[in-house]
Amino acid sequence: MPDCAQERRYRRQRSSPEERRRFVLTALERPRTQAELRDALGMSNSGILHLLPRLERDGLVRPAERVAWTRIWERARGSG
């Protein structure tokens, strides 16, 4: 996942949807929880709940597993 300084720079500037998509795909080099992605992007719960299903629909990410209420996401095979 990008380092803390990179995350702070990202949060400081407003980013386009394409930049958010690239950030998520980079972060998902290993599986991550939805909350980790939300916090790294500085998004609201509803924002990340809209972004991840859109990326799933486009075939870029997929839910890897669910542990209790926590959903873990990973990059889809062949998406990069």
Side-chain angles (χ1 to χ4, degrees):
M1 187 165 222
D3 64 10
C4 290
Q6 202 173 10
E7 288 179 30
R8 283 192 298 274
R9 278 192 304 274
Y10 179 85
R11 288 181 191 183
R12 248 184 266 134
Q13 61 191 18
R14 291 290 176 176
S15 59
S16 70
E18 186 57 39
E19 289 171 331
R20 284 191 296 270
R21 290 173 79 120
R22 280 195 302 267
F23 185 89
V24 168
L25 292 177
T26 301
L28 288 176
E29 289 174 354
R30 74 169 181 82
R32 306 244 180 224
T33 65
Q34 194 165 302
E36 284 177 306
L37 294 170
R38 179 201 63 218
D39 294 344
L41 288 164
M43 294 180 80
S44 65
N45 284 326
S46 61
I48 200 71
L49 287 173
H50 282 90
L51 176 63
L52 290 171
R54 263 187 264 132
L55 293 175
E56 182 182 17
R57 181 196 65 210
D58 294 344
L60 299 172
V61 301
R62 69 180 199 87
E65 62 183 293
R66 188 178 205 125
V67 180
W69 297 105
T70 302
R71 180 169 280 177
I72 299 172
W73 291 83
E74 67 183 5
R75 217 171 165 164
R77 295 189 218 298
S79 66

